[in-house]
Amino acid sequence: MYPDFYHLLKSLFGIEIPVLSLFKTFGFLVAMAFFAGGYVIYSELKRKEQLGIIGFTIDEITTGKSKYLRLFNRQYHRFFGRI
């Protein structure tokens, strides 16, 4: 493995550009792996959505309602829903 792009280009093409020794190959390859992984995940999720395997739902979110009322409502339905 080459430590930086300077050694990579020198070995493959015989080109010597000293500025390229500032750019390390490990960090570049890790970044490219993240981009490639993100693209693969994105394309697979789009494909599965088109096939109907996965989907999305739209939920209604209420703000400003008391937390006590939500807790009471949940307990009320849990208790009376079994009767």
Side-chain angles (χ1 to χ4, degrees):
M1 185 168 155
Y2 301 102
D4 49 38
F5 285 109
Y6 171 77
H7 292 287
L8 176 68
L9 290 178
K10 183 179 175 185
S11 174
L12 293 177
F13 304 112
I15 300 171
E16 293 186 21
I17 304 173
V19 175
L20 291 177
S21 65
L22 297 174
F23 303 107
K24 305 302 177 190
T25 55
F26 179 75
F28 176 74
L29 292 177
V30 168
M32 295 310 296
F34 272 100
F35 284 125
Y39 177 74
V40 168
I41 292 282
Y42 173 77
S43 62
E44 278 297 306
L45 289 175
K46 290 297 274 185
R47 183 182 68 86
K48 289 189 178 199
E49 184 181 16
Q50 289 173 352
L51 292 175
I53 297 172
I54 61 172
F56 65 93
T57 60
I58 299 175
D59 293 335
E60 183 178 330
I61 299 174
T62 306
T63 58
K65 194 174 182 183
S66 160
K67 197 171 190 177
Y68 173 74
L69 290 176
R70 282 184 282 179
L71 180 63
F72 177 73
N73 195 14
R74 189 180 313 140
Q75 295 296 335
Y76 176 80
H77 286 292
R78 187 178 295 157
F79 178 73
F80 288 112
R82 295 182 182 173
I83 295 178

Short mmCIF file of all heavy atoms in Angstrom, two decimals, residues 8 13 28 42 56 61 77 79:
data_model
loop_
_atom_site.label_atom_id
_atom_site.label_comp_id
_atom_site.label_asym_id
_atom_site.label_seq_id
_atom_site.Cartn_x
_atom_site.Cartn_y
_atom_site.Cartn_z
N LEU A 8 2.38 6.65 -5.07
CA LEU A 8 1.50 5.91 -5.98
C LEU A 8 1.77 6.28 -7.43
O LEU A 8 1.98 5.42 -8.29
CB LEU A 8 0.04 6.18 -5.62
CG LEU A 8 -1.01 5.56 -6.53
CD1 LEU A 8 -1.01 4.05 -6.36
CD2 LEU A 8 -2.39 6.13 -6.21
N PHE A 13 3.31 5.45 -12.78
CA PHE A 13 3.54 6.19 -14.02
C PHE A 13 4.93 6.82 -14.12
O PHE A 13 5.27 7.36 -15.17
CB PHE A 13 2.49 7.29 -14.18
CG PHE A 13 1.08 6.78 -14.13
CD1 PHE A 13 0.25 7.10 -13.07
CD2 PHE A 13 0.60 5.96 -15.14
CE1 PHE A 13 -1.04 6.63 -13.02
CE2 PHE A 13 -0.70 5.48 -15.10
CZ PHE A 13 -1.52 5.81 -14.04
N PHE A 28 -8.09 9.25 2.06
CA PHE A 28 -8.84 9.38 0.82
C PHE A 28 -9.68 8.12 0.55
O PHE A 28 -10.85 8.20 0.19
CB PHE A 28 -7.89 9.64 -0.35
CG PHE A 28 -8.56 9.69 -1.68
CD1 PHE A 28 -9.31 10.79 -2.03
CD2 PHE A 28 -8.45 8.63 -2.57
CE1 PHE A 28 -9.94 10.85 -3.28
CE2 PHE A 28 -9.07 8.68 -3.80
CZ PHE A 28 -9.82 9.79 -4.15
N TYR A 42 -28.37 4.06 -0.67
CA TYR A 42 -29.39 4.89 -1.29
C TYR A 42 -30.07 4.16 -2.45
O TYR A 42 -31.29 4.11 -2.56
CB TYR A 42 -28.76 6.20 -1.78
CG TYR A 42 -29.68 7.06 -2.59
CD1 TYR A 42 -30.68 7.82 -1.97
CD2 TYR A 42 -29.57 7.11 -3.97
CE1 TYR A 42 -31.53 8.61 -2.72
CE2 TYR A 42 -30.41 7.90 -4.72
CZ TYR A 42 -31.39 8.64 -4.10
OH TYR A 42 -32.24 9.41 -4.83
N PHE A 56 -43.02 4.24 3.51
CA PHE A 56 -42.96 5.25 4.55
C PHE A 56 -44.37 5.55 5.02
O PHE A 56 -45.35 5.26 4.33
CB PHE A 56 -42.28 6.53 4.04
CG PHE A 56 -43.05 7.23 2.96
CD1 PHE A 56 -43.93 8.24 3.28
CD2 PHE A 56 -42.89 6.87 1.63
CE1 PHE A 56 -44.64 8.88 2.29
CE2 PHE A 56 -43.59 7.51 0.64
CZ PHE A 56 -44.47 8.52 0.97
N ILE A 61 -47.87 14.82 14.30
CA ILE A 61 -47.18 15.17 15.54
C ILE A 61 -47.86 16.39 16.13
O ILE A 61 -47.98 17.42 15.46
CB ILE A 61 -45.69 15.44 15.29
CG1 ILE A 61 -45.02 14.19 14.74
CG2 ILE A 61 -45.00 15.89 16.58
CD1 ILE A 61 -43.60 14.40 14.33
N HIS A 77 -56.67 3.98 27.69
CA HIS A 77 -56.92 3.03 26.61
C HIS A 77 -56.34 1.66 26.92
O HIS A 77 -56.90 0.65 26.51
CB HIS A 77 -56.35 3.56 25.29
CG HIS A 77 -57.17 4.66 24.70
ND1 HIS A 77 -58.43 4.46 24.22
CD2 HIS A 77 -56.92 5.98 24.54
CE1 HIS A 77 -58.93 5.60 23.76
NE2 HIS A 77 -58.02 6.55 23.97
N PHE A 79 -56.19 0.32 29.91
CA PHE A 79 -57.07 -0.32 30.89
C PHE A 79 -58.42 -0.70 30.29
O PHE A 79 -58.86 -1.84 30.37
CB PHE A 79 -57.27 0.60 32.09
CG PHE A 79 -58.20 0.03 33.12
CD1 PHE A 79 -57.79 -1.01 33.93
CD2 PHE A 79 -59.48 0.52 33.27
CE1 PHE A 79 -58.63 -1.56 34.87
CE2 PHE A 79 -60.33 0.00 34.21
CZ PHE A 79 -59.92 -1.05 35.03
#
